[in-house]
Amino acid sequence: MQRICVIGGSRYFGKLLVERLLAAGHRVTVLNRGSTRPPAGAEHLVVDRDDEAALVAALGSRAFDTVVDQVCYTPVQAAIAARAFTGRTRRYVMTSTIEVYDPATAALPAVPEGVPVTEENVDPRAWPVAPHLPWHDEAYLEAHYAEGKRQAEAVLTRDGGFAFASVRSAHVLGGGAREFTGRLAHYTERIARGDEIAVHAAPLPTVFVHHAELADLLLWAATATDFTGPVNACSDGLLDVRDLAAAVAAQTGREPVHRTVATGGTASPFSFDRHYAMSNARAKQLGFSFSRTADWLPGAIAETLTTSAAPAS
């Protein structure tokens, strides 16, 4: 049994992680702003993580084996966490994102087309940090989401008094109504209606992960391994936007209608005109086994179709 603190953990794979930690017998503290209560059995601390004094006061004398941070988006938040949890935990795991590798958001090393990106392409030990940028501004943060994650990883790598690991998640699917982003529903609803899907002329493939598999990997990262540094989290198998649309079409019985967007135009989610696939080799070498996207995607599509067809409550 370990003592685990989950920051966030109120929805989707974060909530599932809390449930699985509890089921495994761990003592779990969930820290969030109070909009959603955690599953029964978890301690609940209601506090704004951005308020350092309030965070330290809420933590009191508590100490943890591991902290899992689901909602760290900026270097400012990371610096507050580094100060608040140094001396309180031996290990800190941050949920990061495939978007740290987006070449449209930073001057990153070039990767040959068709070669999945490895963790070394974004090294948090050397990444520059700019805490004085307007990270508090929601519009700025939304426009600089990938850079915020890169800088947060850098701060926790260099300034935290604990072993630090980041989990760079692929695009998360599955869970029906729990998948709050609506990106898979964009395809199921539009294809079922016969509406156009906006795609790039030559879309490149990307990687995905099932929400339950991501929860399993975070559980493993928090309680069953001691690796440090970044690790990519994606199921086996690449898909481009046309592959995804074809998988949806197989269950709707309607062929997708594609509309090619002009260069620089806005396309549907998961249509990429740049290299956007990760390698999961490091996680495998460390002992985690991934499923195949092709095996779980039909079930995720079926869940989304069922949710879309359900009457509104």
Side-chain angles (χ1 to χ4, degrees):
M1 181 183 70
Q2 297 184 39
R3 183 67 186 266
I4 311 295
C5 176
V6 179
I7 305 176
S10 62
R11 59 182 179 176
Y12 206 25
F13 60 86
K15 182 178 180 180
L16 184 55
L17 168 64
V18 173
E19 292 170 350
R20 294 193 172 179
L21 284 165
L22 290 167
H26 300 294
R27 296 173 62 191
V28 182
T29 296
V30 173
L31 188 154
N32 60 32
R33 289 180 295 183
S35 59
T36 304
R37 292 194 58 80
E43 179 187 31
H44 191 196
L45 297 182
V46 178
V47 66
D48 183 349
R49 65 163 306 151
D50 295 336
D51 185 334
E52 185 171 353
L55 175 59
V56 171
L59 289 170
S61 60
R62 291 172 180 81
F64 307 97
D65 294 291
T66 304
V67 174
V68 182
D69 195 339
Q70 295 282 82
V71 289
C72 188
Y73 301 113
T74 75
V76 176
Q77 292 177 324
I80 290 172
R83 292 189 292 266
F85 285 98
T86 291
R88 296 181 187 273
T89 186
R90 63 174 181 81
R91 182 168 177 77
Y92 201 103
V93 177
M94 173 188 153
T95 303
S96 190
T97 173
I98 187 176
E99 294 191 35
V100 302
Y101 299 121
D102 185 351
T105 64
L108 300 174
V111 178
E113 186 174 320
V115 177
V117 176
T118 62
E119 290 84 356
E120 290 78 11
N121 216 50
V122 174
D123 183 358
R125 296 170 300 179
W127 198 263
V129 174
H132 301 299
L133 293 174
W135 296 110
H136 61 282
D137 182 88
E138 290 187 9
Y140 181 87
L141 178 56
E142 182 177 359
H144 297 83
Y145 173 73
E147 182 60 19
K149 285 289 192 179
R150 286 188 288 259
Q151 293 194 25
E153 285 191 40
V155 170
L156 290 166
T157 297
R158 301 199 292 256
D159 298 342
F162 35 65
F164 175 68
S166 59
V167 174
R168 294 172 176 170
S169 169
H171 309 293
V172 189
L173 296 179
R178 290 170 287 179
E179 199 275 286
F180 62 92
T181 69
R183 292 178 295 182
L184 185 54
H186 172 89
Y187 289 91
T188 58
E189 292 170 4
R190 293 187 71 82
I191 292 173
R193 292 194 304 259
D195 293 344
E196 293 179 334
I197 301 294
V199 301
H200 293 96
L204 293 174
T206 188
V207 285
F208 298 88
V209 66
H210 192 270
H211 73 111
E213 185 164 46
L214 183 54
D216 286 340
L217 189 144
L218 289 166
L219 174 65
W220 167 77
T223 65
T225 181
D226 59 359
F227 79 88
T228 58
V231 68
N232 294 336
C234 58
S235 303
D236 289 333
L238 304 180
L239 273 75
D240 65 28
V241 64
R242 292 177 183 271
D243 298 326
L244 179 60
V248 172
Q251 294 194 47
T252 61
R254 301 195 66 166
E255 288 300 312
V257 180
H258 298 295
R259 175 177 60 82
T260 301
V261 299
T263 301
T266 301
S268 293
F270 311 131
S271 181
F272 299 108
D273 58 356
R274 55 195 182 274
H275 191 280
Y276 220 36
M278 300 189 297
S279 166
N280 60 15
R282 183 175 190 232
K284 289 180 177 179
Q285 291 167 356
L286 290 165
F288 191 82
S289 297
F290 289 97
S291 66
R292 290 183 52 80
T293 301
D295 292 335
W296 57 256
L297 183 59
I301 292 169
E303 284 181 307
T304 304
L305 285 167
T306 299
T307 299
S308 299
S313 59

